[in-house]
Amino acid sequence: MEYKDYYKIMGLSRDASPEEIKRAYRKLARKYHPDVSKEPDAETKFKELGEAYEVLKDPKKRAAYDQVGRGWQEGQSFTPPPDWGFDFGAEQGFTGTGGGFSDFFEALFGRGFGAGRGGVYGRQAHMQGSDQHARIQIDLEDAYRGADSLISLNVPQTDSQGHLVSSVRTLNVKIPKGIKAGQRIRLAGQGMPGVGGGRSGDLYLEIEFKPHRYFRAEGRDIHLELPVTPWEAALGATVPVPTLGGTVELKVPAGSQAGKQLRLKSRGLPGTPAGDQYVTLKIVTPSARTDEAKALYEQMAKVMPMNPRAAMGV
Amino acid sequence: MKNEIIVISGIVLDESMRFTLVELCEFAKTSPEQVIEMVEEGVLEPEGSSVYTWRFDTYALKRLQIALRLQQDLDINLPGSALILDLLEEMERLRR
């Protein structure tokens, strides 16, 4: 296993006072708390920090760590001394971190208390594993049809060297038809394992949609910007529109302007009620590449003069 | 570490779902006392007029879970976690 430099993790020198340790923990915990932090590896950093604080805040554990750890560097291969033994005494569980501690920690201080959050449950020998939370990105099409989706989760775990790493856990999760962004799926018993016969925690997956080339979801409604030609907008036309369920025909009324919004009822994500699809027209003009095309535009300017900026007073 | 593949389906926590006080505690792994305190603080706003008829939605479950984590991990008191919850939601709204 690899040696873990708890002082380095907390950004402290080896002679840091208990007050400095507490202050550093509070500051870094706010920075890396998974509910608040926007750092990509916040969850892993937060767990590492919790482990470091667990040791350094306790004078007995800190003294033991200092004694065994003299001369080691972060990441070096580490074996505890053969006569090593740490007396827990009446120790009442650990506080505050979301998941298991590293092998390094467990080799020094024993295992069995790391799997749950502190507080109410930290004081019981049978401890339920903590819940895990993750965001997953799915395709809009999968939300429309429902799907069995292979989902790779980065789960903070300890590797064979005792390092806390983001390891990949693959789950085959049923994505129900009509799920919306922001909704959560609860997978009972798929969280952190329990301790001493305690039940496993639950896994919560929060749904996000992958950005789509042209659809944008708002709740169950789907928004789409549809390019049309000037003559389709001016004269009216029936044009094909992509929807999640396939292509449908949309009647563009004569005299439509750019930005006009048309609704395709119940063509959004399924549900009760199903969402609608909103189509916003975007007028695309053909470029005047030939003399003939140029003449046509000039003729339009003569026959249909207009000032589109009149409302701006220019 | 070997990858494991498990085929599972869970329950969707959609807006039509409602929890009783007991169910909410079971989901969030907390005590009724703690939930009652949060209702009194205004962190959770159940439907129903008494503890026995309270019904919580999934939004309440999410707020409760975040509030509990903030309290346990950062040693923040109830009014503090209520304030953070509101600010987190405000941030989320502004990002959209």
Side-chain angles (χ1 to χ4, degrees):
Chain A
M1 77 192 76
E2 281 179 33
Y3 176 74
K4 295 189 90 67
D5 190 338
Y6 291 142
Y7 291 101
K8 199 172 153 194
I9 288 167
M10 295 189 72
L12 292 167
S13 66
R14 293 201 158 255
D15 55 4
S17 68
E19 291 73 31
E20 284 173 319
I21 291 170
K22 189 171 175 184
R23 215 177 305 138
Y25 173 73
R26 288 284 168 84
K27 199 173 158 193
L28 291 170
R30 285 198 300 272
K31 183 171 176 193
Y32 290 118
H33 196 275
D35 286 315
V36 181
S37 178
K38 290 285 157 257
E39 308 268 336
D41 52 352
E43 187 99 27
T44 308
K45 284 248 172 64
F46 187 69
K47 277 168 201 284
E48 243 181 355
L49 176 68
E51 179 177 322
Y53 185 54
E54 197 58 56
V55 173
L56 297 187
K57 75 170 181 190
D58 176 345
K60 229 163 68 175
K61 286 205 199 77
R62 184 181 177 188
Y65 173 77
D66 285 348
Q67 186 202 330
V68 76
R70 210 161 287 141
W72 295 92
Q73 295 284 322
E74 168 76 17
Q76 269 185 334
S77 176
F78 174 83
T79 329
D83 57 345
W84 179 256
F86 184 80
D87 178 22
F88 266 106
E91 196 75 35
Q92 286 277 352
F94 296 128
T95 52
T97 70
F101 289 142
S102 70
D103 283 358
F104 173 75
F105 180 94
E106 290 183 340
L108 289 186
F109 303 109
R111 58 176 66 235
F113 288 95
R117 274 171 193 275
V120 183
Y121 294 91
R123 296 187 177 278
Q124 296 167 5
H126 300 283
M127 218 166 49
Q128 182 165 12
S130 56
D131 292 344
Q132 282 186 295
H133 299 261
R135 282 168 201 255
I136 56 166
Q137 284 209 329
I138 64 166
D139 289 321
L140 260 178
E141 286 85 352
D142 286 348
Y144 181 80
R145 277 187 288 267
D148 281 348
S149 188
L150 269 185
I151 285 160
S152 297
L153 291 174
N154 281 320
V155 188
Q157 258 168 337
T158 50
D159 65 11
S160 54
Q161 265 92 49
H163 245 151
L164 260 175
V165 291
S166 262
S167 115
V168 177
R169 182 174 174 218
T170 306
L171 297 172
N172 195 352
V173 179
K174 228 178 203 8
I175 303 295
K177 197 169 151 173
I179 198 155
K180 297 187 291 186
Q183 272 185 335
R184 296 193 298 165
I185 302 177
R186 175 181 184 258
L187 302 164
Q190 297 293 339
M192 296 293 286
V195 168
R199 280 191 295 153
S200 290
D202 306 321
L203 173 62
Y204 288 85
L205 299 176
E206 184 169 337
I207 300 293
E208 278 176 6
F209 291 144
K210 286 182 198 160
H212 192 281
R213 273 192 305 145
Y214 38 81
F215 293 129
R216 185 172 52 81
E218 240 171 63
R220 288 206 173 91
D221 293 335
I222 299 294
H223 291 258
L224 169 79
E225 195 176 59
L226 186 73
V228 292
T229 59
W231 48 91
E232 284 168 342
L235 306 175
T238 302
V239 297
V241 183
T243 70
L244 284 168
T247 305
V248 300
E249 299 283 306
L250 173 70
K251 220 173 129 87
V252 177
S256 294
Q257 293 289 354
K260 185 182 179 68
Q261 208 172 49
L262 301 164
R263 186 172 74 132
L264 291 164
K265 201 170 165 12
S266 302
R267 296 286 181 176
L269 292 172
T272 35
D276 303 324
Q277 177 162 319
Y278 288 93
V279 176
T280 305
L281 299 184
K282 177 188 169 187
I283 296 174
V284 182
T285 55
S287 44
R289 280 203 204 86
T290 63
D291 286 344
E292 203 186 350
K294 277 180 199 155
L296 204 51
Y297 271 118
E298 278 156 14
Q299 202 190 333
M300 277 171 74
K302 255 182 237 145
V303 177
M304 297 177 285
M306 71 179 283
N307 178 8
R309 295 166 294 277
M312 297 173 176
V314 290
Chain B
M1 176 103 4
K2 224 178 119 193
N3 288 348
E4 45 179 335
I5 296 194
I6 317 162
V7 183
I8 35 172
S9 65
I11 52 162
V12 179
L13 305 174
D14 69 19
E15 59 265 51
S16 66
M17 255 183 124
R18 294 293 179 272
F19 306 102
T20 64
L21 179 60
V22 172
E23 287 165 342
L24 187 73
C25 291
E26 156 90 21
F27 270 56
K29 300 172 179 60
T30 188
S31 65
E33 291 75 26
Q34 215 152 3
V35 173
I36 291 167
E37 254 187 82
M38 288 200 202
V39 173
E40 281 166 359
E41 184 70 29
V43 178
L44 307 177
E45 292 171 338
E47 300 158 10
S49 49
S50 81
V51 177
Y52 305 100
T53 57
W54 276 353
R55 294 294 178 271
F56 298 87
D57 57 14
T58 53
Y59 168 71
L61 173 64
K62 189 173 179 182
R63 280 176 70 91
L64 172 60
Q65 287 172 321
I66 295 176
L68 289 172
R69 283 197 295 265
L70 291 172
Q71 289 177 27
Q72 284 165 11
D73 297 339
L74 300 182
D75 222 356
I76 293 169
N77 64 12
L78 186 53
S81 54
L83 176 65
I84 293 171
L85 272 174
D86 291 347
L87 291 176
L88 282 175
E89 278 168 15
E90 176 77 13
M91 265 172 62
E92 190 68 28
R93 205 179 54 75
L94 290 173
R95 228 193 321 268
R96 276 198 217 117

